[in-house]
Amino acid sequence: MAVSIPRTPESVTGKQQRTPRAFEMVVDHVEQSVLQGSLKAGDRLPGERELVNRFAVSRSSIREAMRVLESSGVISTRPGDPRGAIILPPTSDPLRKLMTKLAVFSRSSLADLLLYRMTLESAASSLAASRRSAGDLLELEKAMARMTQCLELGLEEFSRADLNFHDVVARISRNPMIQISGEAVRASIEDLIKGYLRESSEDRVLMHRTLHHHREVLEAIRSQDAHVAEHLARSSIFEYYGHLLGDSDRLAVAALASFGTPAGSVQ
């Protein structure tokens, strides 16, 4: 059933001064409705004819608005479906694409992305340690088992299992902003380093070291030690990616990785 939306979108204060085109007004209105909660995941927009009438715009403007909304991950449409477009749940894909573009065009370094990821991952691990349930621990143990299996499958498969482990930790944090932002920055890093990760004789050493770190993270979350969990999250990222950095960047990232080192631990 399509959700009712107002006939004419309201103007938004602070917009750029030029008069927005018709399709842009439709896009803005739908996006604002999603942000404000009047449109939710699973709701359907009215059909094309009704949208034309409600917004008093042409069919081509409505079709362009639908293309823009679909490309940005807000809606899903099916050719020939007489029902209106469906509102999609939020995902990290649009943010990932934006972050990757920003990293490339603004010449953000891998070090910049790693420092940001360390901040997010340490927060996720700390919250996970505080909020985890028995079911969450089982999910983490399954993620660890998958990483162990992937030791024999090579670095590429192991990397996928590693990212899944971090996704699980982020979900356990119960913080959707950390989860979505974390997914985006992890994917952005992977997009940037695809050409750097090559099979080498040191791969197994790197994978085993990463697995050891993640077991420690799991135990810290199990024992609800938020301080240790957040420190290990930072240091494991440095262990995995630090060798890709130049000397000066490596020092900066290492400084954050070692910050808040638990008493008695060895670096």
Side-chain angles (χ1 to χ4, degrees):
M1 180 177 179
V3 175
S4 177
I5 57 178
R7 179 184 179 85
T8 306
E10 298 176 0
S11 61
V12 180
T13 304
K15 282 283 184 182
Q16 51 190 345
Q17 293 182 351
R18 73 172 179 82
T19 302
R21 289 178 286 181
F23 82 88
E24 291 174 324
M25 291 191 295
V26 177
V27 169
D28 183 67
H29 183 72
V30 172
E31 289 178 338
Q32 289 298 318
S33 296
V34 171
L35 290 173
Q36 293 165 7
S38 54
L39 284 176
K40 300 178 176 63
D43 288 344
R44 285 190 178 274
L45 296 178
E48 182 180 281
R49 181 178 299 176
E50 188 172 349
L51 288 173
V52 166
N53 293 331
R54 292 191 183 193
F55 286 96
V57 297
S58 67
R59 284 182 178 270
S60 61
S61 293
I62 293 298
R63 289 171 183 171
E64 181 63 20
M66 295 302 104
R67 280 194 290 269
V68 171
L69 289 167
E70 186 163 32
S71 67
S72 61
V74 176
I75 65 169
S76 175
T77 62
R78 291 184 180 180
D81 190 342
R83 299 173 298 173
I86 190 170
I87 302 295
L88 295 175
T91 71
S92 65
D93 287 346
L95 182 58
R96 176 187 63 80
K97 292 175 183 177
L98 176 60
M99 288 183 66
T100 302
K101 287 179 181 178
L102 287 173
V104 172
F105 292 121
S106 65
R107 297 188 179 182
S108 294
S109 65
L110 176 61
D112 292 334
L113 286 171
L114 289 178
L115 290 168
Y116 179 46
R117 180 177 171 186
M118 282 181 177
T119 302
L120 290 172
E121 299 283 1
S122 61
S125 295
S126 177
L127 287 170
S130 302
R131 298 175 173 179
R132 60 84 176 148
S133 66
D136 294 330
L137 293 176
L138 286 175
E139 193 176 357
L140 275 176
E141 288 168 356
K142 289 179 181 178
M144 282 296 306
R146 177 59 183 162
M147 288 181 68
T148 303
Q149 292 171 355
C150 288
L151 283 172
E152 304 303 322
L153 301 179
L155 187 58
E156 185 174 346
E157 287 298 322
F158 184 84
S159 295
R160 291 195 186 98
D162 174 49
L163 291 177
N164 177 64
F165 179 90
H166 288 281
D167 287 340
V168 173
V169 172
R171 288 198 298 274
I172 295 173
S173 78
R174 309 284 195 273
N175 186 308
M177 292 303 296
I178 287 178
Q179 184 177 340
I180 291 174
S181 299
E183 288 174 2
V185 72
R186 287 192 289 275
S188 296
I189 289 172
E190 294 304 305
D191 286 345
L192 290 178
I193 67 170
K194 281 177 181 175
Y196 290 92
L197 290 178
R198 299 278 188 254
E199 296 292 329
S200 73
S201 59
E202 296 183 357
D203 283 352
R204 290 191 63 82
V205 174
L206 174 63
M207 289 188 287
H208 277 283
R209 195 162 57 217
T210 301
L211 195 61
H212 174 70
H213 264 287
H214 285 33
R215 286 198 184 104
E216 291 183 320
V217 171
L218 171 56
E219 290 309 312
I221 292 174
R222 189 193 309 277
S223 62
Q224 296 188 302
D225 193 330
H227 177 55
V228 170
E230 68 174 353
H231 166 71
L232 289 169
R234 289 192 298 269
S235 60
S236 65
I237 291 170
F238 178 72
E239 288 278 358
Y240 198 70
Y241 296 103
H243 67 290
L244 299 176
L245 301 171
D247 291 341
S248 60
D249 284 339
R250 190 181 301 114
L251 287 173
V253 176
L256 181 60
S258 62
F259 180 77
T261 303
S265 66
V266 179
Q267 296 299 303

